[in-house]
Structures are given as C-alpha cells and as structure tokens.
Amino acid sequence: MALLESAAVGEGSRIWAFSHVLPGARIGRDANICDHVFIENDVEVGDRVTIKCGVQLWDGVRIEDDVFVGPNVTFSNDPFPRSKQRPETFVQTRVRQGASIGSGATLRPGVTIGARALVMDGAVVSRDVPPNAIVAGNPAHITGYVDTPHVDLPGQVSSATRAVALPADSLPQLSVARATLHRLPKIVDLRGALSFGEIGSHLPFQPQRFFMVYDVPSREVRGEHAHRACHQFLVCVKGSVGIVVDDGQHRDEILLDSARLGLHIPPMVWGIQYQFSPDAVLLVLASDTYSAEDYIRNYDEFLAAVKEAKAAAGAQA
Amino acid sequence: MALLESAAVGEGSRIWAFSHVLPGARIGRDANICDHVFIENDVEVGDRVTIKCGVQLWDGVRIEDDVFVGPNVTFSNDPFPRSKQRPETFVQTRVRQGASIGSGATLRPGVTIGARALVMDGAVVSRDVPPNAIVAGNPAHITGYVDTPHVDLPGQVSSATRAVALPADSLPQLSVARATLHRLPKIVDLRGALSFGEIGSHLPFQPQRFFMVYDVPSREVRGEHAHRACHQFLVCVKGSVGIVVDDGQHRDEILLDSARLGLHIPPMVWGIQYQFSPDAVLLVLASDTYSAEDYIRNYDEFLAAVKEAKAAAGAQA
Amino acid sequence: MALLESAAVGEGSRIWAFSHVLPGARIGRDANICDHVFIENDVEVGDRVTIKCGVQLWDGVRIEDDVFVGPNVTFSNDPFPRSKQRPETFVQTRVRQGASIGSGATLRPGVTIGARALVMDGAVVSRDVPPNAIVAGNPAHITGYVDTPHVDLPGQVSSATRAVALPADSLPQLSVARATLHRLPKIVDLRGALSFGEIGSHLPFQPQRFFMVYDVPSREVRGEHAHRACHQFLVCVKGSVGIVVDDGQHRDEILLDSARLGLHIPPMVWGIQYQFSPDAVLLVLASDTYSAEDYIRNYDEFLAAVKEAKAAAGAQA
Amino acid sequence: MALLESAAVGEGSRIWAFSHVLPGARIGRDANICDHVFIENDVEVGDRVTIKCGVQLWDGVRIEDDVFVGPNVTFSNDPFPRSKQRPETFVQTRVRQGASIGSGATLRPGVTIGARALVMDGAVVSRDVPPNAIVAGNPAHITGYVDTPHVDLPGQVSSATRAVALPADSLPQLSVARATLHRLPKIVDLRGALSFGEIGSHLPFQPQRFFMVYDVPSREVRGEHAHRACHQFLVCVKGSVGIVVDDGQHRDEILLDSARLGLHIPPMVWGIQYQFSPDAVLLVLASDTYSAEDYIRNYDEFLAAVKEAKAAAGAQA
Amino acid sequence: MALLESAAVGEGSRIWAFSHVLPGARIGRDANICDHVFIENDVEVGDRVTIKCGVQLWDGVRIEDDVFVGPNVTFSNDPFPRSKQRPETFVQTRVRQGASIGSGATLRPGVTIGARALVMDGAVVSRDVPPNAIVAGNPAHITGYVDTPHVDLPGQVSSATRAVALPADSLPQLSVARATLHRLPKIVDLRGALSFGEIGSHLPFQPQRFFMVYDVPSREVRGEHAHRACHQFLVCVKGSVGIVVDDGQHRDEILLDSARLGLHIPPMVWGIQYQFSPDAVLLVLASDTYSAEDYIRNYDEFLAAVKEAKAAAGAQA
Amino acid sequence: MALLESAAVGEGSRIWAFSHVLPGARIGRDANICDHVFIENDVEVGDRVTIKCGVQLWDGVRIEDDVFVGPNVTFSNDPFPRSKQRPETFVQTRVRQGASIGSGATLRPGVTIGARALVMDGAVVSRDVPPNAIVAGNPAHITGYVDTPHVDLPGQVSSATRAVALPADSLPQLSVARATLHRLPKIVDLRGALSFGEIGSHLPFQPQRFFMVYDVPSREVRGEHAHRACHQFLVCVKGSVGIVVDDGQHRDEILLDSARLGLHIPPMVWGIQYQFSPDAVLLVLASDTYSAEDYIRNYDEFLAAVKEAKAAAGAQA
C-alpha cells in the first residue's frame, strides 16, 4: 500500500503503508519509514534513521545517520511563500547525526539541528539548535544539554536534596578536569559587600583583557566557543547564569549565582553561556588581548582540534 | 481503502479511508476512526470514541469510552530514544472517560488525561491532567474546570459585567451547598489593616491546627484533595488564589482575593487550589490535627466515597 | 491512489496520492492538493490555492484565492464537543485572499485569517487575524506586518546596525508620505523633564480633542482604524509603542519610544497601535471632535474608500 | 538685667532679662523680646512681633509685622565662612508679614519666609518658603498650605471618612469659583484604559500648546504662577499630584490622582503644583502659545494685579 | 548672676548663672538648673532633675523626678499662634519619670515623653513617646527600647557576629521567662512553601479567634497592650516585624522574620509590635473570643496589675 | 556682663555679654566668644576660633585653630545618662583645624569633625566627619566635598546646562592631572551589551588584581584611601557612583555612570567612593596584588607623604 518511486533505498530499510517516496530520494540502510510519510525528491536520509507516521520530508531536507523523527513532526518546505520580506532562495534543513525530534515538533525551513541534540515534543524550532542541546517550547529555547550533570554547589537549591551536604567552603571537582571552580573572598560590612580575586591566590593567570556581559534581554543562549590559547575567568557579580563546559569528552553545567564563585575555563575547553537572569552581570577576565584566530566557534572544528591535539600528544609520548 | 488487520472492532464502529489498524488493537462499539489514522497493536479504544484524521495510537495507549481525539493530535510512543537521561521503560498513556483532546495537541508519553478533562487545541501536555480540568498552552497549564461556574462576588471584575450588581455585603449561595462563604470584619486605620474571625460569629468550628501556604512559584495547581472528617476555613490574606469546590455533583470556582472573605470547606467536599498570585498568602484553619487517613487524594476514590455515603444515607432513610 | 469523490474541481488543479475529497467539496482552478489531505463536503477552496500534506478541511472551511496552507496545518471542526461550556453551533473558518498558514499551525474553529496575513509555523490561532498581520506563538499574537519596513530612528537600537548613522536631529521621510515625524523640545532641570509642542512649531494642526492611552495590559494590538477627515498627533510620553501607518499602497512601522518624538497621522491613513511596553503612556491630539462617522474601522472599506478617492481625483484631473 | 543699646524701640515693646540689643537695631511697636535674645545692628523688627528666648537676629535680618519667632530658633549670619564654594556676600534673611517660625527651627542665611507661612518646629529651612506654605523636616519641604481646605473627591481616601458620601459622578464646587473640576470619560476594556476629553464637552477652551511633566525627582514644589490671559487644563495621567488654586481670596487643594479628573485653571488664578508621586505624569493643555509676559511669577505682584482688576471692574460698574 | 523669683525651690537644688526662674515655678530637691535657662510660672520640676544650658520651660511643662534635659533642648509653648488650623488651647507637655531628652532635641507642645524613654540628640518629637522607647530623627520615630536585648536567633544577621553560633534548630530562652519561641515545621517543595502548627505539638492552647495584621503603612509602632487572661500566638508569614515583650521586670526584642517562628505571649505580658516591613503579614491566634475588658492598654496600669498579682501571690505563699 | 573665671585666654580674644567661662578652660589668640556662651573647665579652644551665641562647650571638647561654630550649635556632654545601654565613659569631641559647624547643628558626644569639613545648618552629626567633607541632614550624611569641582561629562545632566556642549567623544582633563578618564568601547546587539578594555588601548597598566563593589546599602561614603605604588582603574558597570580624587592640592568629583567610562587613579592620589545608586556595580582593576602596606588610610598621613615626596623630588632637582 506504499508508493515507492525511488530505487535508492538501502538494505534493511522498511517503508510502511500509505507512504510515498518520490524518485529522487535517497534512503540509507536499516531505516524505518512508517505509515503516511511523504518524501520528496531532493532528500537524503541516513542509516538507521526512524521516520514515524505523518511526517513529510521536502526537497532540501538532510537527515543524517541515527536520527529519530517522531510522529507528526512537521518540516517546512517553502520559506514564506508570497511574502516579499523573506528570500525565496532554496534552503537546506539538516538534522545532524544522532539527533532526536520529539512528537509533533515543527521545524522552520533552513534550521540545523545539531548532533545528538534533543527537540522536545511540540517544540517550534525557528533557529539552529547547537550540538547536544535540549530545546522545548514555542518558540523553542534551550533548557539543558544531554548527558551533562548539574554541578552541585554548596548553598544552591539543587544541593538541598543531597543526602550529604558539602562542607560550605569546599568546591567540587568538575568532570571537565581542566576547568576549575574557585572560591573568592567576600567582605560584607555596613558599607556593603566586596568580592575580589588576585593573581597568585584566585586568578590562575594574569588578565590582559576584561569584558562584562549585562542587559541580556532573554534567557536564550548568549554564545558558545572555545579558545586555542586564551584562558578565561568568569564571575557572575549580579544575578545568575548557566555555564556549560565541555572538553570533547565530558560536560558539566554550573550555575554561577554568587560573586564568591569564579570559574576558570582553560584553552581547548568549549564554553556555553545561557539562562542569564534579567539582572545578570557577568565579568570575564581573559589572559590575552583579542585575537580572532584564537576563537573556535564551530563545535565540529573544536572536536577535530581536540582529536588532533590528543593525537599529537600521543605521538610525543 | 483502509488496512484493517484487527478483528476486535466493536459493532457500529467505522474505519475510514487510508487508515491502518494493526492486528492486536481492540476497538469498542460505535467508534469513529477517520482518514489517515494509524493504530498499533497494544492499543485499547473504548465505546463511542472518535479519532479524527492524522492521529496515531501507539503501543501502550488506552482510550476510554466517550473520548474525542481531534485531528492531527499527536501521541508520543518512544520516551526520548537514545538519550541516556530518561529511562526507556515502556509507558502507558491514558485518556480517561469522556475527555476531549483538541486539534493539533501533543501528549508526552505516559501522561494521563483525567475523566472529562479538556485539552485545548495546540496544547503540549507534559504532565497529568486532573479530572474535569481545562488545559492550554505550550507547556500546557490549567486554565479552568469544565462545568464550573465562576462565583460572582461583589467588587470583583467578573461581577462588573452583571446586569444587576450584588449588594456590597451579601455573599452568594454556592452550587456546592455545604461549602459557604463568610464575610470577615476588616478594620483599616492609620496603623494598617486588621481582619479577624472568631468562634460563634465567623468561624464554624474550633481550630486545632493552622497552616499557611505562600511563596508558590507558579500559577499551576498546588494541590487538590478532600477530607473525610476535617473542616477547613480558608482566608487569602495577601494576593489571590482560585479555589474550586466539588461535592461530586456540582462545582464552583471562587476567587479568594480579599482578607475579608472566608471560605468554609466541610468534610467530603473536594477542594482545588490553583492560580496563586505571586504574592499570595493563604491561611487555612483546620478543625482537627493532622491525620493522613483523613485525606482523600484520589478523585475516583472521592467519587466512590460520595456514592457510598449517599447509599448509606439512602439506606438509613 | 487518491479518492476524489467530488466533480467540482477546477481546471489545472491537481490532487496527489492518498488524498480524499468528499462529494460536496468545491475546488477552484490551478489548485494543488498534496498527499494525505482530507476534504469534507461543505468546503470551498479558491483558485491557485496550495494545500500541503497532512491537512484536513472540515465542513465550514472557506479558503479564498491564492492561499497557501502548509504541511500538517490543523483546522478544527467541532468546537469543543461534549463540553457544555461552549455552543455546538456550526461555525465557518475563513482564510482570506492571499494569506499563508505556516507548517504545523493550528486554527481554532471560527477564526478568520485576514487577507495577505501570515500565520507563522506552529502558531495556535484562537482569535481573528487582521489583514497583513504576521502572527506567531501559542496562543498566537501579532509580531509585525508584511511588507512594512521598520523606520530607522536616531538613537534607536535598530539604527545601531546601520553603516551610516543618521544625524541626531534629522528625522527620516516615511514611505507613507503624508504621515510625518516631528522632533519635540525637551527641557530637563532639577524639577524633572518637560516636553512640549505648540502650533506653528511642532503641531501641524490645532487640536480639538486629546486622549491618552495607558495601562495597556499586553503587547497585543490595541486598535486599528483610519479617519476620513481628522488629523492625529501621537507622542509616547512614557515607555514605547509600535505604530503602523498604511495609506493603502505603502506601510511603515515606527517605534515611538521618546517624549521628544511626535507622529502626525493625516486623514485617510490607516493606523495600528500595538506592542505597548507595560509602562507606556501614549498621548494623542486630534484635529476634530469625536464623530463616529469619521472612523473607518474595516480595512476592506478603507481600501475601497482610498480607491474611490483616487478615482475622484483622477476624474478631476 | 538686659543690655539695651539701641534707642529705636517702638512704644509698647518689652525687652526681657539677659537680652542684648546693639545700637543700630530698630524695633517696632508692641514687640515682645524674651530672655537670652541677641540682636545685632543691621536688624529691623516690625510691629507686634514676638521673639522668644534663645534667638539671635544677625545683621541683615528683616522681621516684618505680626511675625512670631519661637524659642531657640536659629538664624545663620555668615553664609559658609571660609568655604570658597559660596560667596561671602552680605545677605538678607527676611521673614514676611504674619509668618510663624516654630520652636527650634533653623533658617539658612538669605532665605525669605513668605507672608503668613508656617515653619514647623525643628524644620531646617534652606530655600525660600512661598507665601501661606507650611514647611517641616530636615531639609524642610512643603506639607500643605494654611487655611486651604482639601477638596473632598469621590473615591479618595479623605472622603472615606465623610458621613455622607458624594454621588460617584458629581464633582464638588471649589471655593475658588472660577476654577472647575471636570469628569473625563474613561473606557476600560481588554485592550486597556482610555481617557479623553474634547472641545465642547470637557475642554473649556481650544488648546494651542501642551506640555507633560514627568520624572519629577522629589515631592517638592515644582512650580507656582498665574497667567494673565492663558487658560490651563490639567490631567494627571499616572500617579498623583497636589494642586493648590488661589484667586487671592480663597484657596483649595486638589489631589489629582485619576486620569478621569481634569482641572481647569482660568487666567488670574494662582496655581501651585507639588507632591508629585514618583510615577506621576501630568498633562497640561494651554489656550495660548508661550508668552513670557503672560506669566505672573511673583505672588505679591499677583495680589496687586487681582486688586487692580477688581478696582477696574468696580469702576466699570 | 541668676534671677530667681520663685521661693518654691527644693533643698539641694542649684540655679546657675544667667538663668531666670519666674515666681510661680516649683522646683524639687537636688535639681540642677544650668546657665541660660528660663523657667516660666506654671511649671513643675521634680527631684534630681537636670536642666542643661539654653533650655526654656514654658507654662504647662511638667518634668517628673530623675529626668535629664540636654543642652539647647527646645520646648514649644504656643501651639501655632495665629494659624486658624490649630486650636489655641492651653496644653501640657509632660516628661515622665526617669526620661532623658538628648541635646538639641525639640518637643512639640502637648506631647508626653513616657517613663524612662530616651529622646536622641536632635530628634524632633511630634507625637507621644511610649515608656522605655528610644526615638530619633525628624520627625522622631521609635528605633528601639532601653534595656531590651535583641534576642539572637539562628540565621539572623545579628547572630552573625556572635562568637559561638547557635545550633540551627535550638531557640533561645527569653528574659521574659513566660513568653516562649517555637519552631514551626516548614515544608518547601515545587508547589511552594507550607508552614503549620497544631495543638499538642506547637500550639500551647486551642484558638477561638484569629486575626491578621497587614498593609501597615510605616515602620512606626502599631500597637501595644497586655491581656489579663488571653493567650496569643504570633507568626509572621511574610516580611518581618519587631516584637517587644515585657513582664514588668524584663524586656526582650524579637525580630519575627520567618514563617517557621512562632511566639507565644501569655497573659500579663506587655507586647509591642513595631517596625513592620512593608510586606509584613502577621497572623495572631488567640485563646479567647474578643473581650474589651481583657485588654490593658495603659502601661502604668499594667505595672500596677503586675505588682498587685505579685502581692497576691506573695500573700498566698 | 560676662563671667570670665579663666585666666588662660589668649591675646586679642574677646568674650561677649552674658557668657560664662569656667576656671579650667583654655582659649587661644584672636578668638571671638559671642553672647550667651558657656564654657566648662576641661575645654581647649584654638586661635582665631569663633563661637557664636547660644553655644556650650562641655568638658572634653577640643576646638582647633580657625574653627567656626555657628549660633545655637549644640555639643552633647553626657553620653546617654542613665541608659545602661551605653557606656558612661568620658569622651572627647574634637573639631579639627579649619572646620565650620553651621547654625543649629547638633554633635553627638565623641565625634570628630575632620579638618576643613563643613557641617551644614541643622545637621545632627552622630558619626565622625572625614576631612573636607560637607555633611547635612538628620542623621547627617555626606553631600559633597569643599573646593571640589564636579567634572562635566558629555551626556550627564550637569552638562546639559553648559553653554557649549562637549563633543560626544572627548573627555575633560581633570584638575588632579595625574588621574585620567578613558572612553571604553561598548557593543550592543541582540544578545545584550558588552563593554571591554584592553592593554595598549584603554588600560594604562596591566592588572594583577580585580575587585567588584556592589550591594552598597546606602549613599553614604563607602571608603577612602590612597595607594603608595598601586594603580587603579574604575568602571561603573551598572548604576552610578561618585568618585572624589585628591592629590593633596586639587580635588575633582566624577560621577561614574556609564560602562563606557573608565577612571585611572594613579598612586599617591587619595580616592573617595560615595553616593552609590542602589543598583551600582563598580569594577576596580589594580596594578598590584594586595599589600596592606601600600594603603594609606589616614588623610593626615597622606598629606604628610605627599609633602615628603615633593621635598624628595625638590632635593633631587
């Protein structure tokens, strides 16, 4: 009961009832195309992909290996037909390796869902989703990262549920071993509060640059990148911000919510800032002056550089 | 044009074009399964159920009698495949008797939609929906209860549209006849405001326990239950809170928004607290000390107890 | 593979695989009905309409010419079956000429989507959408107007990205040539701030009426209309508000966010106020006393009046 | 026991024990100079003045007739000796006819206390006090006006204590008969609130100028003056402001605290604005374009002009 | 060098230079009247009183035994001469036994300074000062009570300076031994916070009345009184309030700032409520219904009743 | 008419009528003691001091050279007699060289008024006053510094009244020539605002330490000191703060109110921070790690070090 017009369907793949695959579509091995699916011509579907019922894949859609697309997920094909405000240019919508699209989610044309990302049921995705991110809502926003433990800090709500409280002055070891948390001194008297850090005690490098992030209008991601050589030291002076650190192997999420807390992000650690509270003021000290070449802004490139560095280290050993 | 592989379809039920029912599915009488529907094996559909077009019912879905499922409603089958954060355990999604799921709504796997509840169009439901509740939004939240009149109180906005204004000091009779509203004295002078109540005038019982509810972080439901023997007296000192009272036959919704307003909830009346304003402080006086056995926390159990009580009363008469 | 039961399908129209059109449906010319579509009997579809996959058109749906309906868009047919709270009356859902409904959007029964309006992907529309409006979200709200440039004003964020900054005191010419922006004096001293305008300097007419708009509870549209004879002068004293002006041919959107900025809207220009900030106070001066006849509140009527006026002017020339 | 070195002391005046009057001082009739008073040379004291114990009158002090100076009131003689920030110029401190200075008050050098004004006990006066004003605090601020009834408006707190409530829509007649209060229409619906007024209904003149007062940093007096020919119409759109109107014979104080309330101040009525709430926005419509000559900014000049106008009117009659 | 016209000066009293005492004044024993003091006729000064330099005591002033009046303290004699707003009636200003008036303070005519109260330097007192209260500022407000230790509670700022921290769950013994602090359970979960108390565990009596105090407009005293028979149990649900308890012999001040803290005030303990935070909500449960006779509202009367009770107890023993 | 019992009165000093000087008092040359003054025994008054009428100097008061004490200024002698809360220890009240005490001011026992400081009329001083500070109010707080011009910055309110506006990007030269203002870049985009500075462009030194000042509870002075060797760079990221810089010869006051503004304070410049807005966040970068020896916290010591440095420099030249 299916209309299979394409010959490019990999071994082990199944096409279910009432589905329709146009001649130009290419489908990998061991894919599972359920009932009532429609697949246009300029479409590529990878190996081990599941497309549940009621989904359409339009020209320009690229589904990489090991992706799951839930039932009634909607891809958009035409970007705003007839509106002069948007270009009618042909766009590619891409779901990267290992990502999952939850039931009933909608994807705007042209977005990329990052590798291993998780789109929650019913989410309406209008911007690219970073690798490993979890998104939900309409419009979709990032609510967390997959396989990323929230670091339990003394005094924070999450730690209230721990069986054994951390000693008030100890700070936990992170999974990303090279990134470190630092307790900063804080002096409170009748004149107010004062926190500080200095070289030799709390600051693991000598800063050559500082910047402050503030007036962030939403809780959306503000930025993510790694540095090749530059160290950074983050303190959230007011409000709070979530930081994810990632060395290519492990990830940690830390809620910076106290001026007494410093976070050292060394080179070759991917850092993500998001979930700024409305009043957040984030201070960043950097070990080097600005250099565009020092930034790695693409996560794939970051993973490749990590691999390369490890290989080089192995060769040396 | 339909693929009907199951034999367990009740009398009077219709399966429309391009639908597909797998062998293990069981469908009751007088059900209506519209075009482009897909029904897996471990699925039960009750009597007089309507499933509109574009819906899939996955293994584990249970649809009780008299349910309506709108077009393109999406049930989720796999709970987050491939994410290590969530268990891959098999889950049941259940829509209880008489509930309605609006067009384009999405249900997370494992949720239960309570009896006679109403899921509005486009809602994304990620938590259980209590009986009789109306939910909307992404994520869905409770906006009201079906067949539950908002009680019109003097001075409240809703009463502004009434043709005939209530006298300022009178309080209406509730549909739930045993629950009663009480006007408390309020004295305002230069030193501030003072409200009070006492035995013999405003308090219908002598309290042995008090509790205060506050710092409620959202407008979501806070709790719902009935007592077998305990009386309660509620006053919202600051802000406002919506209270639904339900004696198994009638329901009323009251907006407590004044320290001058007391609500007496006698035993065997189901009470729901929700839509707390951010600054709400709710005082509850109780006629008895705490006893876990006195609480009925399950609505079905409550209805059974009401029935039983009525039968007992009838037997006595 | 389609079930076409109706004979009333216009020349050049195509019905794709697995679709089902009931006998009473009427479809215009050059329409494109994609896979897995269901069309009931009491449905009218205009010329050059596209209905993408997974859409159902229920009894009572009217789709005018040149409409685009994206994939998995959900129309609702029954307004809240079985709930006693809502009438079961039969309702018409109408999509006016040239409108686009984005992928995965949901439309409550009975709404009208205005001509050339744009419903964004995943929007849940529960109220009528005005002509030319862009709506998004759950529930959907207006986010802008199609083909309407945002006017770049000195000091506003949008102008920060311009290559060439505007001189601080110059104000741009609008596309709607008869509407004009005016710079007002502002004096700040120890007693506070004072803005003023007077005849001959800043006010292009002598006001006979004033009104103030304030306490607007949301960022939704507040009102839209044109005047036949009356001039208006708008100043946003506190906060900000978005104004769209439209002469039937061009549109501009202006953010009034300074007490130093006045906007003159002459007769026969359609004006829309929306996106009020919570603290906004908008002052409007009008050249004439109130006259109900002077208001045009229907946009179609406005376009007709513009056309008529132009014809009259042409006849005179 | 007193040292009386001056001969210029009027008939009926008494100088008490341990007081000291230098030769140049001049004191009027029926004055009462109590114990421990010191009076320098360049000092003038009017008729019927009381100077209580512990007061010094320095060179440059002028006390007009009928003034009361309480015990331990402190006049300053040197304006900030040795500070280069302030001129060492000789200054006159003047207490105008009929004013009272409460016990323990302090007056900065050079201030003028207006006729009939009342300085409360312990006040520290660093700026001129307008005629009839009551001042208190450190620094002193205006708290009211002598012999000025607060106009009782429906819905305001002050009227809550009245035995007989005013009908909700009536507005009281003012003592200053030519100034009038006007009820403005207010329309509240789901889109917010709207108040307006127009020529012929609520606006007693056709405005040629408007100004808005806002961001007033304190509750101090903002301004006071009269117009010779110009009419003004005041509406407080947000917050509240106290207005005193004065026709030279009567005074009223009105709390403008609602956008439904307009106040018409005709020519030749003295108007005072003070006690702005922090969020106050005051709109003023004026019948004429700005003309410096139209303003009377001096209260004595205003009283003279009122008298002259009355005389002219009498001559005509 | 002094003018002593009165013969009614007690043994051991001294009158210093340049002072002036009129014939009608009566002065007790061992008083000390310093330089430049003026004392009118209708004045009574008790034993062991000190009047420092530069003070005047006007007709109507009553100074009880053991009072200290600092230098340049100003009493007012005429209440607002010549203002029609205030009555010219003769008033008594009274300083009760053991009170101290700080240097440069000013007292409005007619106020009473309670026994042992302390008026801080420079305060401007315009209302009665309760017994034992400390007042400061212009206008003066209560800042504390003499000889009243602030009870150190775990978690409060004041306790941060203690050498030895209290165990988090222990509550201190009060000096007023019969009043007791109680720790109430508080349960916080995602639904908000809930505090409660019940008979047998936290509530030392069975309530017959409750009242709530809120919307207190300032930090001034709200009320003070004792009960003859009624018990009270106080919980501050929101914000904070200072409570002073006093059994006639000892005093304690407790900052109620947590819904986990209950204070039991038994009969025959004087209780003062003051320094309400703007958002404070104070719940009071009472053991008896309202009875005007049960209230002792005068502190002298309270001390007498305590004495009497003690005598009765002694007689019994 | 004066009682002069002391012989220790310097040449050229005058004692006026009704004054009283006890035997132990010592008074310098060319002092001026006006009428109705009382001076106890353990008192020292310097050269060229003026004590105006109605003042008492109690045991323990020390008045240095060139001080002015206005009329009715009140010194306190007994610190809280009879209150057990405060020690009865004997205290010294000291007015340092060149200070002025305004009329009617009150000084708590034991305070020190710094050299050249200015106490405004009616101030009630309960804490030490720093050198050069101007204080006012009850209780007294710092409102400015004598001989300290407010630096006029583009965009600040004070500059609005200048005849010639500063070019928007130029920054003025300070009187304290070694301290300098710097314009920092600020980038605003959809993600928020970002300000930064880096070595070589905006930062005149390489920081080794940073600290952040925040949560300052009042507008009072927060701190003042100089560094011997350390450079500091201040940026006010949020809100505003007043900074006074002082090189011993000149002073400037700068309002830091923009994240675009940096202030460099070099070594041997005294710096004062005060008048923090409630939301102020002040970032300070320092050139050296913390060293207690590098701080000069006493202003006299600072002046001595400046002098010494100058002498050393002169010796070198």
Side-chain angles (χ1 to χ4, degrees), chain A residues 46-301:
Chain A
D47 300 339
R48 294 170 303 282
V49 164
T50 297
I51 308 289
K52 300 296 294 185
C53 300
V55 175
Q56 304 88 27
L57 304 180
W58 308 103
D59 285 351
V61 171
R62 299 290 178 267
I63 308 286
E64 296 187 2
D65 296 345
D66 301 306
V67 161
F68 173 89
V69 177
N72 285 351
V73 164
T74 308
F75 289 79
S76 307
N77 58 339
D78 291 298
F80 293 92
R82 291 189 195 89
S83 165
K84 291 169 204 161
Q85 290 191 309
R86 317 255 175 169
E88 296 262 355
T89 59
F90 181 86
V91 293
Q92 262 195 7
T93 300
R94 180 175 292 273
V95 183
R96 301 288 310 271
Q97 188 273 325
S100 288
I101 315 294
S103 320
T106 299
L107 276 62
R108 290 276 306 126
V111 299
T112 292
I113 308 301
R116 289 168 307 284
L118 187 51
V119 175
M120 295 289 282
D121 301 355
V124 177
V125 180
S126 52
R127 291 186 294 182
D128 288 356
V129 174
N132 302 305
I134 303 169
V135 301
N138 178 1
H141 59 278
I142 298 178
T143 63
Y145 284 80
V146 294
D147 304 330
T148 303
H150 282 249
V151 176
D152 228 348
L153 293 175
Q156 290 186 347
V157 171
S158 60
S159 67
T161 60
R162 286 170 56 100
V164 180
L166 283 172
D169 283 326
S170 83
L171 285 171
Q173 182 80 21
L174 303 182
S175 317
V176 175
R178 289 184 301 119
T180 46
L181 286 164
H182 299 257
R183 179 68 66 195
L184 300 180
K186 178 177 178 182
I187 300 166
V188 178
D189 61 18
L190 288 178
R191 302 167 304 175
L194 185 150
S195 290
F196 67 89
E198 66 183 34
I199 284 287
S201 310
H202 329 93
L203 247 184
F205 57 84
Q206 186 149 333
Q208 299 218 27
R209 186 163 54 112
F210 69 93
F211 53 92
M212 296 151 294
V213 181
Y214 52 96
D215 285 354
V216 178
S218 81
R219 297 181 68 81
E220 300 293 305
V221 153
R222 205 199 160 279
E224 45 181 309
H225 63 260
H227 284 281
R228 294 185 193 278
C230 181
H231 291 252
Q232 292 193 306
F233 192 82
L234 289 72
V235 185
C236 191
V237 185
K238 275 274 183 191
S240 64
V241 58
I243 307 289
V244 174
V245 287
D246 176 344
D247 61 7
Q249 219 174 346
H250 303 98
R251 268 191 297 278
D252 292 288
E253 175 159 351
I254 303 112
L255 179 68
L256 291 184
D257 67 348
S258 157
R260 298 199 55 194
L261 208 54
L263 173 64
H264 174 212
I265 305 183
M268 292 310 294
V269 168
W270 188 256
I272 300 172
Q273 302 167 9
Y274 81 136
Q275 295 187 336
F276 282 80
S277 68
D279 61 340
V281 177
L282 177 67
L283 169 71
V284 183
L285 297 160
S287 64
D288 300 307
T289 56
Y290 177 78
S291 153
E293 288 74 34
D294 193 56
Y295 280 77
I296 309 178
R297 297 192 180 278
N298 181 291
Y299 187 71
D300 287 349
E301 203 180 306

Side-chain angles (χ1 to χ4, degrees), chain A residues 1 17-18 35-36 48 52-54 66-68 71-72 100 103-104 118 120-122 134 137-138 145-147, chain B residues 1 3 18-20 36-38 54 56 58 72-78 80-82 84-85 106 108 124 138:
Chain A
M1 294 288 284
F18 305 125
D35 285 43
H36 306 113
R48 294 170 303 282
K52 300 296 294 185
C53 300
D66 301 306
V67 161
F68 173 89
N72 285 351
S100 288
S103 320
L118 187 51
M120 295 289 282
D121 301 355
I134 303 169
N138 178 1
Y145 284 80
V146 294
D147 304 330
Chain B
M1 294 287 284
L3 281 177
F18 305 123
S19 283
H20 187 178
H36 306 112
V37 167
F38 173 81
Q56 305 87 28
W58 308 103
N72 286 350
V73 163
T74 308
F75 289 79
S76 307
N77 57 339
D78 292 295
F80 291 92
R82 293 190 193 86
K84 294 170 204 159
Q85 292 192 310
T106 298
R108 291 274 308 125
V124 177
N138 178 358

Side-chain angles (χ1 to χ4, degrees), chain C residues 59-284:
Chain C
D59 285 351
V61 171
R62 299 290 178 268
I63 309 286
E64 298 186 359
D65 296 344
D66 302 305
V67 161
F68 173 89
V69 177
N72 286 349
V73 163
T74 308
F75 288 78
S76 308
N77 58 339
D78 290 297
F80 293 91
R82 291 189 195 87
S83 164
K84 294 170 202 158
Q85 291 192 308
R86 318 253 175 169
E88 297 261 354
T89 59
F90 181 85
V91 294
Q92 262 194 8
T93 301
R94 180 175 291 273
V95 184
R96 303 287 309 271
Q97 187 271 327
S100 289
I101 316 295
S103 321
T106 298
L107 275 61
R108 292 271 308 123
V111 300
T112 293
I113 309 301
R116 288 168 308 283
L118 187 51
V119 174
M120 295 290 283
D121 300 356
V124 177
V125 180
S126 52
R127 292 185 291 182
D128 288 355
V129 174
N132 301 305
I134 304 170
V135 302
N138 178 357
H141 59 279
I142 297 179
T143 63
Y145 285 79
V146 295
D147 305 331
T148 304
H150 282 249
V151 176
D152 228 349
L153 293 174
Q156 291 187 347
V157 172
S158 60
S159 66
T161 58
R162 286 169 55 100
V164 181
L166 284 171
D169 283 328
S170 83
L171 285 171
Q173 181 80 22
L174 303 181
S175 316
V176 175
R178 287 183 304 118
T180 46
L181 286 163
H182 298 258
R183 179 68 69 194
L184 302 179
K186 178 177 178 182
I187 299 166
V188 177
D189 61 19
L190 290 177
R191 300 167 305 173
L194 186 149
S195 289
F196 65 91
E198 64 183 37
I199 283 287
S201 309
H202 329 93
L203 249 183
F205 58 83
Q206 189 148 331
Q208 300 216 28
R209 185 162 57 112
F210 70 94
F211 54 92
M212 297 153 292
V213 182
Y214 54 95
D215 286 352
V216 178
S218 81
R219 298 180 68 80
E220 300 292 305
V221 154
R222 206 201 160 279
E224 45 182 310
H225 63 261
H227 284 281
R228 294 184 193 279
C230 180
H231 292 251
Q232 292 191 309
F233 192 81
L234 288 74
V235 186
C236 189
V237 185
K238 277 272 185 193
S240 63
V241 59
I243 307 289
V244 174
V245 287
D246 176 342
D247 61 6
Q249 216 174 350
H250 303 97
R251 269 191 296 276
D252 292 288
E253 175 160 350
I254 303 112
L255 179 68
L256 291 185
D257 65 349
S258 157
R260 298 198 53 193
L261 207 53
L263 173 63
H264 173 213
I265 304 183
M268 290 310 290
V269 168
W270 187 257
I272 301 171
Q273 302 168 9
Y274 80 136
Q275 297 187 335
F276 282 80
S277 68
D279 61 340
V281 177
L282 177 68
L283 169 71
V284 183

Side-chain angles (χ1 to χ4, degrees), chain E residues 9 13 31-32 36 44 68 106 111 117 121 123 134 136 161 184 222 235 267 269 275 293:
Chain E
V9 175
S13 290
N32 190 19
H36 307 113
E44 293 172 18
F68 172 90
T106 298
V111 298
D121 302 355
I134 304 169
T161 59
L184 300 181
R222 206 201 163 278
V235 185
V269 169
Q275 296 187 335
E293 288 73 35

